[in-house]
């Protein structure tokens, strides 16, 4: 092979000792027989070497050929359950870095998963100013940064030679408009994620997140240079509503921080609405009353920080580096301190921010890449395919384009009140011009922005306890409609009452049963887990004209007050075997778990139910719907609120506002699970 390659390049032959010899001359220094020219004498030798090389290559590749032909035959005849063609990590990258092209960003035509050669190995990450630096980004379309090896031919079809790292080469890059091939629910990218419980790896049904090759190294295509992460910031204020309103805003700022190529500044701990239950703090080794929280208390910040394209720092670090040194327009923080909290902090950030967008009736539109920042954004989106997608995404809302002015700003700040409030779902708020990038961020939120393992493990514990109940209560049951529950199947409801502002959905158990068609969705005899803020069935905190609701017949006809707030109809009218969180706490389930996690744990339990019905307008119900979508259970989700039973299953896949979640949160543009 060496001889053939060097001969083809017009280079000297190499002797067995590695010494170059002149072309056309024998190693003993004598000319070849006859008066043939050097080229004529070389011909037969080259031919022999070529034949030997071809024979050797065939021998090496024959097993792979058999494997791929067999795999193709299997795919043509496989059942949906067998059709799990997960994208594999690309070979040839640094074994330490494990860099690979993000799934779907370098795919060819439907039904084909050809990848070009991988980008260059990533250098070791360095530290600068307390913020981790990432390796060179894997850029849009799966090709490396300018000047590096590409991932696809100029036609947009990836080089077959680079598939799974078996040989190949090539240059160029995938077209930014190439679409990822739709996947079935069984044909999802990557492998099942990991969960650590009690220091041990645990395989649990609550795991919905996945490890997709290349996603961890993907950086925003609009970031011209990685170092800009450390020069530009995104700051934000927590929403003033309940936990899931806070979560929605956090999802938006985390996606925007990554997409804008900015370092996200995490606010300090503060008291969050409805999250202040006294509990024993393991770190402080004492009881904590009315505790303060940050999103690091609920979400795995280390997991987020492990993403090479995402950068986060603390408010204390940001103020020490930029504020107290006068780098923010010469304006110093209160008392020239980095330890600022509450209203004084929000006032300071409002004062020093370069950009503070308002979002009421608007959405954010991101460009395809850094080149688009130099153009008039309206001209970019007027391209036919983009204009149609943008119109469908935005509806009657107005687009706020992320342009060069916003990109050049040092500090972009998202306040929490008035027209600045981010009470939307991130996937309905942030439009990406490239649909493949839109799909990447759906995976990014699913895989990197999830509850901490301690919460997931507690959720898995509760799910096991409910399933065990179902197995015991229905073992040997003669009721065919619940025969499947002998394997632990259960159903779930979320019933919001209390101080919920939407009084028309605070209804009795009798109305809930009727709205669900009695046993049309949940069969008689089924185990039903009830997640509610009113476990005693007394409509606690239900008010009318700022006073507690009247009881009994006096409550009849008053919207938001319930004549019979008990849960008796679930047992008597529907024939369900109901369970509440308290039933399991009394048995020792979730022992020593922080009670401020209970709501999140219940959402995990509801996400695994065979069918689920929730409360319209509740963001708690909405997030359960999203989790069920990740699990492939989105279409078995309902509402028990009047006139809304099948709203979650409507044909419309995306909308805006907070009242519900949409299918677009867990599917790509082709309607397939991400």
């Amino acid at each position: 092979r060496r001889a053939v390659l060097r001969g083809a390049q017009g280079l000297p032959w190499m002797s067995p000792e590695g010494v170059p010899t002149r072309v056309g001359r024998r190693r003993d220094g004598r000319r070849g027989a006859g008066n043939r020219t050097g080229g004529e004498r070389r011909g037969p030798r080259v031919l022999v070497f070529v034949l030997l090389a071809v024979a050797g290559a065939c021998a090496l590749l024959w097993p792979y050929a058999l494997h791929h032909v067999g795999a193709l035959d299997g795919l043509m005849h496989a059942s949906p359950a067998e059709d799990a063609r997960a994208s594999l990590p690309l070979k040839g990258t640094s074994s330490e870095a494990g860099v690979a092209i993000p799934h779907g960003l370098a795919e060819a035509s439907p039904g084909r998963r050809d990848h070009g050669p991988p980008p260059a190995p990533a250098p070791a990450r360095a530290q600068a100013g307390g913020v981790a630096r990432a390796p060179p980004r894997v850029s849009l379309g799966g090709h490396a940064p300018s000047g590096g090896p590409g991932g696809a031919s100029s036609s947009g079809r990836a080089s077959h030679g680079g598939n799974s790292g078996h040989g190949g080469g090539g240059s160029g890059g995938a077209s930014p408009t190439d679409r990822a091939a739709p996947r079935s629910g069984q044909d999802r990218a990557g492998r099942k994620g990991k969960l650590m419980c009690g220091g041990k790896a645990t395989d649990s049904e609550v795991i919905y997140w996945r490890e997709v090759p290349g996603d961890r190294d993907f950086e925003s295509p609009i970031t011209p240079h990685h170092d800009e992460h450390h020069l530009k910031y995104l700051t934000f204020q927590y929403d003033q509503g309940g936990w899931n309103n806070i979560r929605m805003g956090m999802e938006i700022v985390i996606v925007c921080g990554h997409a804008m190529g900015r370092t996200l500044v995490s606010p300090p701990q503060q008291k969050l609405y409805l999250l202040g239950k006294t509990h024993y703090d393991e770190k402080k080794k004492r009881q904590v009353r009315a505790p303060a929280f940050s999103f690091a208390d609920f979400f795995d910040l280390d997991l987020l920080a492990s993403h090479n394209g995402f950068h986060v720092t603390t408010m204390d670090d940001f103020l020490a580096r930029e504020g107290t040194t006068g780098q923010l327009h010469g304006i110093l923080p209160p008392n020239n301190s980095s330890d600022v909290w509450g209203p004084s902090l929000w006032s300071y950030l409002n004062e020093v921010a370069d950009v503070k967008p308002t979002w009421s009736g608007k959405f954010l539109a991101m460009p395809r890449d850094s080149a688009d920042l130099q153009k008039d954004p309206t001209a970019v989106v007027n391209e036919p395919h983009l204009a149609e997608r943008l119109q469908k995404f935005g509806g009657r809302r107005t687009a706020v384009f992320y342009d060069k002015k916003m990109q050049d700003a040092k500090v972009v700040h998202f306040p929490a009140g008035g027209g600045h409030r981010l009470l939307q779902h991130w996937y309905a708020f942030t439009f990406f011009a490239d649909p493949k990038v839109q799909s990447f961020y759906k995976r990014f939120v699913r895989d990197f922005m999830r509850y901490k393992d301690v919460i997931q493990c507690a959720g898995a514990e509760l799910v096991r306890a409910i399933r065990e109940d179902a197995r015991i209560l229905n073992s040997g049951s003669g009721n065919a409609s619940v025969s499947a529950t002998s394997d632990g199947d259960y159903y779930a409801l979320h019933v919001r009452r209390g101080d919920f502002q939407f009084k028309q959905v605070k209804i009795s158990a009798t109305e809930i049963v009727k709205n669900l068609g009695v046993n049309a969705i949940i069969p008689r005899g089924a185990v039903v887990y009830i997640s509610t803020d009113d476990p005693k069935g007394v409509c606690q905190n239900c008010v009318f004209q700022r006073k507690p609701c009247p009881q009994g017949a006096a409550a009849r006809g008053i919207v938001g007050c319930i004549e019979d707030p008990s849960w008796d109809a679930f047992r008597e009218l529907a024939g369900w075997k109901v369970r509440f969180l308290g039933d399991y706490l009394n048995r020792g389930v979730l022992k020593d778990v922080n009670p401020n996690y209970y709501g999140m744990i219940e959402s995990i339990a509801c996400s695994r139910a065979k069918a689920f019905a929730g409360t319209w307008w509740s963001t708690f119900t909405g997030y359960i719907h999203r989790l069920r979508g990740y699990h492939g259970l989105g279409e078995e989700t309902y509402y028990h609120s009047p006139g809304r039973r099948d709203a979650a299953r409507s044909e419309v896949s995306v909308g805006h506002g907070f009242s519900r979640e949409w299918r677009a949160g867990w599917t790509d543009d082709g309607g397939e699970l991400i």
Side-chain angles (χ1 to χ4, degrees):
R1 289 198 303 273
R2 179 172 57 197
V4 172
L5 290 173
R6 296 186 68 84
Q9 298 172 31
L11 298 175
W13 296 91
M14 298 293 290
S15 73
E17 296 78 21
V19 179
T21 63
R22 295 178 58 187
V23 174
R25 184 176 292 276
R26 288 163 44 171
R27 282 182 294 160
D28 60 5
R30 293 181 293 144
R31 289 281 183 182
N35 58 2
R36 292 175 293 178
T37 64
E40 291 172 322
R41 288 191 298 273
R42 184 169 67 242
R45 297 175 64 184
V46 171
L47 178 60
V48 169
F49 276 103
V50 168
L51 292 174
L52 289 173
V54 170
C58 289
L60 288 172
L61 296 178
W62 182 247
Y64 294 98
L66 289 177
H67 169 75
H68 288 295
V69 169
L72 178 60
D73 182 70
L75 292 180
M76 293 173 65
H77 299 91
S79 66
E82 296 168 333
D83 187 10
R85 304 184 299 277
S87 178
L88 298 174
L90 295 176
K91 304 283 180 72
T93 56
S94 166
S95 59
E96 292 80 15
V99 178
I101 296 176
H103 179 86
L105 295 186
E107 290 184 349
S109 59
R112 178 168 174 163
R113 290 182 182 275
D114 298 338
H115 294 279
R125 299 177 70 188
Q127 299 289 327
V131 181
R133 292 177 180 268
R137 70 177 185 268
V138 180
S139 55
L140 186 63
H143 56 282
S146 178
S153 66
S154 58
S155 66
R157 180 175 289 278
S159 166
H160 180 68
N163 189 29
S164 299
H166 298 303
S171 59
S175 167
T177 58
D178 288 347
R179 295 287 296 276
R183 301 178 295 278
S184 71
Q186 306 298 327
D187 181 23
R188 301 170 72 178
R191 60 181 181 271
K192 190 175 182 179
K194 298 177 181 178
L195 176 64
M196 299 295 293
C197 298
K200 298 180 180 179
T202 302
D203 184 15
S204 171
E205 66 175 282
V206 305
I207 300 174
Y208 59 80
W209 53 95
R210 304 182 71 79
E211 296 180 0
V212 181
D215 273 8
R216 188 179 296 273
D217 298 300
F218 182 71
E219 284 197 52
S220 169
I222 72 162
T223 309
H225 192 276
H226 182 80
D227 283 343
E228 291 201 8
H229 283 285
H230 312 299
L231 302 175
K232 299 177 181 179
Y233 303 91
L234 176 61
T235 59
F236 70 100
Q237 179 181 356
Y238 288 123
D239 190 270
Q240 301 305 300
W243 164 248
N244 279 285
N245 295 1
I246 296 168
R247 173 192 53 77
M248 288 165 61
M250 285 162 49
E251 287 179 341
I252 289 175
V253 298
I254 286 173
V255 168
C256 288
H258 187 288
M260 294 176 180
R262 295 177 173 273
T263 292
L264 183 68
V265 182
S266 173
Q269 288 187 329
Q270 68 179 63
K271 295 179 181 178
L272 303 178
Y273 178 60
L274 297 180
L275 290 175
K277 297 175 182 176
T278 300
H279 69 284
Y280 183 79
D281 191 299
E282 285 290 343
K283 292 182 179 179
K284 298 179 180 179
K285 300 299 180 183
R286 61 180 176 84
Q287 291 287 327
V288 178
R289 298 178 181 274
F293 295 103
S294 71
F295 74 75
D297 290 295
F298 305 104
F299 285 94
D300 193 337
L301 193 58
D302 289 337
L303 177 65
L304 271 170
S306 74
H307 193 286
N308 291 327
F310 179 77
H311 303 264
V312 62
T313 191
T314 64
M315 184 63 68
D316 179 78
D317 178 77
F318 168 71
L319 293 177
R321 187 169 1 133
E322 302 287 349
T324 61
T325 57
Q327 301 300 310
L328 302 177
H329 306 291
I331 304 172
L332 301 177
N335 301 320
N336 198 22
S337 170
S338 62
D339 185 15
V340 186
W341 190 86
S344 58
L345 172 62
W346 310 132
S347 297
Y348 177 71
L349 293 176
N350 280 328
E351 186 177 6
V352 300
D354 299 296
V355 176
K356 296 180 294 183
T358 57
W359 301 114
S360 180
K362 303 174 184 177
F363 67 96
L364 178 65
M366 300 296 294
R368 289 168 297 196
D369 49 37
S370 58
D372 278 355
L373 291 172
Q374 312 302 321
K375 306 173 185 176
D376 178 0
T378 57
V380 173
V381 299
N382 278 336
E383 297 176 15
H385 66 286
L386 269 181
E388 182 180 351
R389 284 186 63 237
L390 188 72
Q391 174 59 37
K392 183 178 179 180
F393 182 94
R396 297 181 180 179
R397 296 177 295 169
T398 303
V400 174
F401 295 101
Y402 189 77
D403 55 14
K404 189 175 187 303
K405 179 181 178 181
M406 197 178 295
Q407 174 69 3
D408 290 342
K410 182 171 185 174
V411 178
V412 174
H413 180 55
F414 287 179
H420 301 281
R421 195 179 187 193
L422 296 171
L423 195 58
Q424 300 188 53
H425 301 299
W426 78 266
Y427 54 83
F429 171 81
T430 317
F431 172 84
F432 291 92
D434 190 327
K436 292 177 298 184
V437 174
Q438 192 100 32
S439 290
F440 162 77
Y441 282 108
K442 292 176 183 180
R443 298 194 304 273
F444 176 70
V445 171
R446 179 195 66 189
D447 301 336
F448 289 90
M449 191 177 175
R450 60 175 178 82
Y451 290 141
K452 298 170 66 171
D453 280 2
V454 64
I455 298 175
Q456 301 285 357
C457 294
E461 181 183 359
L462 180 57
V463 169
R464 286 195 299 270
I466 300 171
R467 290 206 185 281
E468 185 60 24
D469 254 3
R471 278 189 284 268
I472 294 173
L473 293 172
N474 293 296
S475 60
S477 172
N479 189 342
S481 62
V482 294
S483 59
T485 61
S486 61
D487 292 328
D489 284 348
Y490 66 93
Y491 298 78
L493 300 177
H494 169 234
V495 184
R496 182 75 160 91
R497 287 178 174 176
D499 63 347
F500 200 41
Q501 67 197 81
F502 301 100
K503 298 181 179 181
Q504 59 269 48
V505 297
K506 291 194 279 188
I507 57 178
S508 68
T510 299
E511 291 177 89
I512 290 174
V513 170
K514 291 180 178 179
N515 291 341
L516 293 177
V518 189
N519 297 125
I521 297 169
I522 304 177
R524 179 171 292 274
V527 171
V528 181
Y529 181 82
I530 312 294
S531 174
T532 181
D533 55 352
D534 184 32
K536 295 180 180 179
V538 296
C539 207
Q540 186 176 2
N541 296 324
C542 294
V543 297
F544 172 66
Q545 295 181 348
R546 300 185 180 182
K547 296 180 181 180
C549 279
Q551 297 181 352
R556 188 178 303 165
I558 301 177
V559 177
C561 297
I562 305 172
E563 182 177 355
D564 177 13
S566 75
W567 307 115
D568 293 344
F570 290 160
R571 303 180 182 92
E572 298 168 3
L573 179 59
W576 301 333
K577 301 167 184 175
V578 299
R579 291 292 183 269
F580 297 88
L581 178 63
D583 295 325
Y584 298 100
L585 296 178
N586 292 336
R587 300 181 196 173
V589 179
L590 306 183
K591 184 180 180 181
D592 298 327
V593 171
N594 186 335
N596 291 291
Y597 294 159
Y598 286 168
M600 303 163 204
I601 294 167
E602 287 197 276
S603 69
I604 294 171
C606 292
S607 76
R608 295 301 301 152
K610 186 172 184 179
F612 166 77
T615 303
W616 184 258
W617 281 309
S618 167
T619 53
F620 183 85
T621 281
Y623 193 52
I624 293 170
H625 187 194
R626 169 117 62 92
L627 295 179
R628 292 178 63 79
Y630 290 152
H631 283 296
L633 296 170
E635 301 308 308
E636 296 302 322
T637 301
Y638 304 84
Y639 291 97
H640 54 66
S641 304
R644 302 286 188 179
R645 190 184 82 170
D646 296 308
R649 296 148 52 85
S650 65
E651 293 184 6
V652 179
S653 291
V654 68
H656 56 89
F658 65 90
S659 61
R660 55 160 296 182
E661 291 260 1
W662 301 84
R663 196 176 289 110
W666 53 90
T667 61
D668 58 24
D669 280 6
E672 306 297 326
L673 287 176
I674 57 174

